[in-house]
Amino acid sequence: MWHEYRDLMTKLKGKDRHFDHLFEKHNELDDKVKDAEEGRIHIDDMELKALKKEKLRVKEELGQYLSQLNNSANK
C-alpha cells in the first residue's frame, strides 16, 4: 500500500497528526474487516460492507494526502 510514499510515511509517523490519525483509522478498519471475515467477530453483511466502504474512503483520503505532500515537497 502506497509503496511510492514509503519514505514520506516514515518521516510523517509521529510528526504529522493528520497523517497519524488517518493511518491509525485505516489500520483499525483493516483489523475489523479481517476479524469479521475470519470469524473472530460477528457482524452482519451490511455492517461488513459499511466497514469496507469506510476503509476504502480512509485509504483514498490518505493516498490523496500523501500525494499532496509529495507534490509540495517536489516543487
Side-chain angles (χ1 to χ4, degrees):
M1 176 170 72
W2 309 297
H3 300 288
E4 67 272 22
Y5 301 125
R6 188 173 289 148
D7 292 339
L8 177 58
M9 291 170 66
T10 300
K11 291 176 186 176
L12 293 174
K13 284 184 183 176
K15 296 178 181 125
D16 184 303
R17 292 176 70 185
H18 186 64
F19 169 79
D20 288 341
H21 170 75
L22 291 173
F23 191 78
E24 287 178 33
K25 182 70 174 172
H26 182 270
N27 285 339
E28 287 171 10
L29 291 165
D30 189 49
D31 289 344
K32 285 182 182 179
V33 167
K34 285 179 186 175
D35 287 345
E37 290 177 335
E38 295 174 6
R40 289 187 291 275
I41 61 172
H42 300 285
I43 59 174
D44 65 38
D45 290 339
M46 294 285 286
E47 289 175 288
L48 180 58
K49 189 174 182 177
L51 279 176
K52 287 181 177 182
K53 282 184 178 181
E54 178 66 6
K55 178 184 162 193
L56 181 58
R57 186 197 65 76
V58 172
K59 181 179 180 179
E60 289 173 350
E61 185 178 348
L62 185 52
Q64 289 173 352
Y65 187 65
L66 290 168
S67 178
Q68 289 171 352
L69 290 176
N70 190 57
N71 289 339
S72 295
N74 290 329
K75 286 186 177 182

